[in-house]
Amino acid sequence: MRYSQLLLPTTKETPSEAEVVSHQLLVRGGFIRKLTSGMYTYLPLGFLALQKVVGIVREEMNRAGAQEILMPMVQPGDLWQESGRWKKYGPELLRFRDRHDRDYCLGPTHEEVVTDIARRELQSYRQLPINLYQIQTKFRDEIRPRFGLMRGREFVMKDAYSFDVDDAGAGRSYEIMRQAYTRIFERCGLEFRAVEADSGAIGGSFSHEFMVLAETGEDTLVICEACPYAANVEKAAIAPSTETVAEGARAAVCKVATPGLKQVDKVAEFLKVDPDKVIKTMIYLADGQPVAALVRGDREVQSVKLKNLLGANEVESLNEEQVWQQTRLPVGYMGPLGLEIKVVADQEVMHMVDAVTGANEKGFHCTGVNPGRDFEPDVVGDLRQIAVDDRCPVCGGSLRLKEGIEVGHIFKLGTNYSEAMEATFQDSDGQEKPFIMGCYGIGVSRVVAAAIEQNHDAKGIIFPVPLAPFQVIVLNLGPKDETFCLAAETLYNGLKARGVDVLYDDRDERPGSKFNDADLLGIPYRLTVGKTYEKEGKVELRARRTGATELLAPEQAVDHIAGLVRQALV
C-alpha cells in the first residue's frame, strides 16, 4: 500500500478521553475513530491489525479440529428465558422488542443459540465430539465503557462451543482448546499466562483466563514463583489455617468508647492492639438482601468469593448512606454481635481470640470478642483477597502479584445449558443424555489493544511482527528525485513479491515527519532510502523494537528483510 493513497489520519494530539496508552495510540495513529460511547470504527490500519489476529485465531482453531460457523448477533429472548439468563444476566444484556412485540437481545455471547443448534442437529453420540466456533461482533451494554478497545460496548470476539458425550470427553476438548489458546498467544508474540478464574455470568464449574501481562492491566494475577500455579485474585484460593485456637481463659466482652474512630488502624492504635486483632465488618447486598462479611482488620473482602460462597447471582457493595438504610447501623462501628442479618465470616476470623469489633453503636467498640462463643456466623469460608505475603495454595511457595489484561477465557460448562434447554443426544445404549459442554472465548479486538499496552514506548506502538498491519515501511526521503523513487519502488515491489506486508511512504513530507509517523505506527522494520543511499548506494534498515540499524545494498535488503519476517512468523 502507498501511504499517499491510504486513509491514515495520524495526529500529534492525545485525545482527552483516552485514559490508557492503547486508546491514545490507536487514535493518534489513525487506527480507530469513536462513533459513540464504547463503539469504534476501524480505519484501514486498525482493520488490518484486527485481521492479523483473526488469521492466527482461525488457523489454530481449524488446526484444533473446530468448525467455523456464523450465528446471528440478534437473538430471540425465549432462548435466554429457557436457559434462565434473561433476568440473571443483568443490564449489560441489551434487550428490545420487535414490531411483533417479541423479546430480543443483542448477543454478548452465544451459548443459547449454539445449544439450540445442537439439540436440533446432533441426535447421536456418533456425531460427537464436535466444536463449533465463530468470529463475530458482540455487544455488551457496559455501564461505563472506557479504555477504547479494552472495554467497549461493541467488540469482536471468537467464541467456540464444544459438545461431548461425557466428562472425560469434555476434559479432552478443554485441554485441546487450552493448547490451541497457548499456540495462538505465542504466535501473537505476547507475554501471557493462563490463570485459574471465576466463571462469572457464563457459568460452569471450571475456567482459565489467558492474561497478557502489562502494567496497565485491569486484573491482578497471583503467580507462584516455585510452581505453575497462577490465578486471578478473584479466584486465588487461600488454604484453611492449620493452626488450632489456643485453649485457656477468654476475656469478657467489654464495650469501650471510641468516639470519632471509624478506621481500623485508628481503632487499633487507640486500643493499643495490632490491626490483625480487629474484626472488620462490611455490609453488602446479595441478590437484594443485606449480608455482613467479616474479615481480619488487615484484610480485604473479595466480593467474587463472597458471591460464590453465598451462591448469589449478584453482590453489591454499599456506601454509608445505603448501609444505614438497610441496617440502621453506623459505618465504622458495626460488628457481628447481635446482628439480625446473615453473617459470613472468613475462615481466618474463626481463629481470632479476644478480638475487637464494632459495638453496633456509634462511638463504641467491643473488646474480648471470641468467635464461636460470642457469635456464630451463618457461613464460614475463604472470603478474603489473597495478599503477596500469603503462600501458594498448591506448593506453599512464595507468591508475586502481576497486572494482566484478559484476552481469552475457557470454561467447562458441564450440562448447565443442555439440561436447562433440554438439549440431548442418544448414547450407545440408546439412552437420552444431555450434552457435556465447554465454552471458549477470545476478545479479538481486545488482543490488539493488549498488544499495544504491552508493547510501546514514548514514540508510539511497537507491534510484534505477527500483529503488525504492515511488517515493513519503506521511507522515500527524496520523492522528487527519480533515483530515490526508482530505488524505493524496487524495494517496495520486491518485498510485496516475497509476501511481505509493506507500506511505501511516498509522501512529499519532511523526513522528520516520516520518521515520527513510522515510530507512532509501530511497524517492526523501517527501510529508508535517504542520504546514505545517495552517498554510498546503501539503504538503512532499522528495527523498531531495539532501534538497531544496519546498512544494506538494495539488492540484499529484500531477501534479508523477508527472512527476518519469515523467522518472526514461525
Side-chain angles (χ1 to χ4, degrees), residues 472-484:
V472 181
I473 183 169
V474 175
L475 301 189
N476 181 357
L477 301 188
K480 296 180 179 178
D481 186 306
E482 288 187 10
T483 304
F484 278 52

Side-chain angles (χ1 to χ4, degrees), residues 525-568:
Y525 296 105
R526 187 184 78 196
L527 192 58
T528 304
V529 181
K531 290 183 179 179
T532 306
Y533 178 73
E534 186 178 28
K535 294 178 180 178
E536 304 177 27
K538 292 186 177 182
V539 294
E540 181 189 79
L541 175 63
R542 179 177 183 273
R544 175 70 179 90
R545 184 171 297 278
T546 64
T549 61
E550 55 183 317
L551 299 179
L552 300 168
E555 59 271 18
Q556 298 174 326
V558 170
D559 286 339
H560 181 62
I561 294 171
L564 291 174
V565 170
R566 189 166 52 248
Q567 184 178 8

Side-chain angles (χ1 to χ4, degrees), residues 241-250 347-354 370-372:
S241 174
T242 56
E243 297 179 10
T244 57
V245 180
E247 297 295 334
R250 299 283 189 270
Q347 55 199 6
E348 195 174 39
V349 168
M350 304 310 292
H351 291 266
M352 298 176 70
V353 175
D354 294 341
N370 289 272

Side-chain angles (χ1 to χ4, degrees), residues 191-196 211-214 219-233 236 386-388 390-393 395 397-404:
E191 183 184 1
F192 69 96
R193 287 292 295 263
V195 304
E196 292 182 15
M211 310 290 290
V212 169
L213 304 182
D219 294 286
T220 301
L221 316 179
V222 178
I223 299 172
C224 180
E225 296 184 331
C227 79
Y229 178 77
N232 193 306
V233 291
I386 200 167
V388 72
D390 286 309
R391 310 301 294 181
C392 173
C395 73
S398 298
L399 299 173
R400 61 189 172 99
L401 303 182
K402 294 278 288 184
E403 303 306 308

Side-chain angles (χ1 to χ4, degrees), residues 111-130:
E111 282 80 9
E112 285 80 3
V113 177
V114 79
T115 303
D116 184 58
I117 293 171
R119 69 182 175 183
R120 293 172 184 268
E121 308 299 336
L122 304 175
Q123 284 81 41
S124 170
Y125 73 95
R126 294 186 178 90
Q127 296 171 278
L128 303 176
I130 194 170

Side-chain angles (χ1 to χ4, degrees), residues 47 130 149 291 339 373-374 379 397 427 434 536 562:
F47 186 70
I130 194 170
L149 301 185
V291 59
L339 271 186
R373 184 195 72 180
D374 302 314
V379 182
D427 70 7
E536 304 177 27

Side-chain angles (χ1 to χ4, degrees), residues 284-291 310 326:
Y284 292 80
L285 278 187
D287 292 339
Q289 298 299 314
V291 59
L310 292 170
Q326 291 289 333

